[in-house]
């Protein structure tokens, strides 16, 4: 299988390490020109296979005719690269699902799947239960509340730093309360879980979110409650953070591996699947 990756940060590097145990993968990674030397150096140092190579333009990535492209470079990459890839007929697995909080972008991506007869796959990532939530949403009147707890380091570089000294926290502190749309916009690197809930459930404006910085947290905790006239359930998930990135759960990486392998095997995709080939 020919796999494309957009970005070569923590998630992409872990995907490469997990997938290339099988030598039949051919992986092309799109990186910024200024990041090319560092990416190649990292690949050499970690003993990446010869089937892994880097390009610096979307045109070069498309010339490799990837069967599937996985976006793992942040929300800006969704608008810049995923939309034209979908329009050109390439299926895409989107990690930064929070980008779809932008109503216009969400609409354009959906149109792109139709124009390109392609698929936009939205993984569950670090949480589960989205199949049941999606089913309940079909009956209407679904209410979802979410609480996300991460160690203070996970919130660095976010609006939380403007009003809190994160390193000095001694107890759990709420850093945000609002809708999933607001959370996905203000915390783009931390809110993909709430975006997944919104897309499977009642929408970005109808999922209420609380985000917490907890100095005693050793991982990332996701708790949510679903209420509907026909079913009620609660989920409480404690994830180990990935190495080198306190914001990302290891469960997210393995969720992506599962989606990619299912795609390769031709099995039904478990994530939200928009469009069709």
């Amino acid at each position: 299988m020919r796999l494309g990756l957009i970005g070569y940060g923590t998630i992409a590097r872990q995907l490469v390490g997990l997938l290339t145990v099988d030598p039949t993968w051919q992986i092309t990674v799109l990186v910024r020109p200024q990041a090319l030397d560092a990416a190649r150096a990292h690949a050499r140092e970690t003993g990446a296979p010869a089937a892994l190579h880097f390009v610096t333009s979307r045109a070069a990535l498309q010339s490799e005719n990837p069967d599937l492209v996985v976006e793992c470079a942040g929300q800006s990459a969704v608008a810049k690269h995923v939309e034209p890839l979908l329009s050109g007929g390439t299926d895409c697995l989107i990690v930064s699902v929070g980008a779809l909080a932008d109503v216009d972008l969400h609409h354009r991506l959906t149109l792109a799947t139709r124009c390109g007869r392609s698929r936009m796959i939205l993984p569950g990532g670090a949480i589960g239960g989205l199949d049941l939530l999606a089913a309940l949403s079909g009956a209407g009147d679904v209410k979802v509340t979410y609480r996300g707890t991460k160690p203070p380091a996970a919130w660095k570089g976010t609006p939380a730093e403007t009003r809190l000294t994160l390193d000095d926290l001694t107890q759990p502190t709420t850093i945000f309360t609002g809708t999933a749309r607001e959370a996905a916009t203000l915390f783009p690197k931390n809110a993909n879980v709430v975006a997944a809930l919104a897309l499977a459930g009642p929408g970005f404006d109808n999922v209420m979110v609380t985000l917490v910085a907890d100095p005693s947290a050793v991982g990332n905790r996701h708790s949510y409650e679903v209420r509907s006239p026909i079913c009620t359930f609660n989920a409480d998930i404690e994830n180990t953070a990935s190495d080198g990135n306190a914001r990302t759960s290891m469960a997210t990486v393995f969720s992506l591996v599962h989606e990619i392998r299912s795609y390769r095997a031709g099995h039904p995709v478990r994530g939200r699947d928009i469009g069709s080939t």
Side-chain angles (χ1 to χ4, degrees):
M1 179 174 173
R2 297 182 301 275
L3 183 69
L5 299 178
I6 300 174
Y8 196 57
T10 301
I11 291 177
R13 292 175 180 182
Q14 290 174 333
L15 282 177
V16 168
L18 291 167
L19 291 173
T20 54
V21 173
D22 176 350
T24 62
W25 291 94
Q26 298 178 37
I27 302 178
T28 302
V29 185
L30 173 60
V31 297
R32 298 186 306 275
Q34 60 268 35
L36 180 61
D37 289 343
R40 286 174 170 168
H42 180 274
R44 287 194 300 269
E45 291 167 4
T46 55
L52 172 70
H53 71 283
F54 299 91
V55 296
T56 57
S57 72
R58 187 175 62 252
L61 174 63
Q62 288 176 297
S63 71
E64 297 292 329
N65 296 314
D67 300 294
L68 176 70
V69 171
V70 184
E71 172 281 313
C72 32
Q75 292 188 11
S76 61
V78 178
K80 183 176 182 180
H81 296 301
V82 173
E83 183 179 357
L85 285 168
L86 291 171
S87 294
T90 302
D91 294 345
C92 294
L93 175 60
I94 299 177
V95 175
S96 306
V97 293
L100 276 67
D102 182 326
V103 176
D104 180 62
L105 177 59
H106 192 176
H107 178 66
R108 297 201 320 265
L109 292 175
T110 302
L111 287 180
T113 66
R114 297 173 185 168
C115 293
R117 297 185 61 79
S118 54
R119 297 162 65 189
M120 172 172 60
I121 304 164
L122 310 178
I127 60 171
L130 297 184
D131 52 348
L132 178 56
L133 174 56
L136 295 175
S137 295
D141 196 24
V142 173
K143 295 179 173 58
V144 180
T145 56
Y146 166 85
R147 181 181 178 90
T149 304
K150 297 183 179 183
W155 303 109
K156 291 188 175 181
T158 75
E161 278 195 315
T162 64
R163 57 189 185 84
L164 293 170
T165 305
L166 293 170
D167 290 336
D168 293 343
L169 294 182
T170 59
Q171 60 185 5
T173 303
T174 297
I175 62 170
F176 171 82
T177 302
T179 67
R181 191 179 305 280
E182 293 167 330
T185 301
L186 292 171
F187 300 87
K189 296 182 179 180
N190 287 278
N192 288 319
V193 164
V194 301
L197 287 170
L199 291 163
F204 280 95
D205 298 315
N206 297 302
V207 175
M208 298 309 300
V209 175
T210 300
L211 302 178
V212 178
D214 184 353
S216 67
V218 294
N220 300 329
R221 185 173 185 176
H222 307 287
S223 303
Y224 69 96
E225 177 182 84
V226 176
R227 295 285 180 267
S228 87
I230 58 175
C231 179
T232 296
F233 72 93
N234 296 275
D236 193 1
I237 303 164
E238 188 97 26
N239 285 315
T240 300
S242 62
D243 293 339
N245 188 346
R247 299 183 181 94
T248 302
S249 301
M250 277 303 299
T252 297
V253 179
F254 280 92
S255 169
L256 296 173
V257 170
H258 177 71
E259 296 280 9
I260 294 165
R261 287 176 173 163
S262 293
Y263 182 95
R264 182 184 192 182
H267 295 161
V269 178
R270 294 179 181 271
R272 297 271 292 166
D273 189 353
I274 299 173
S276 65
T277 55

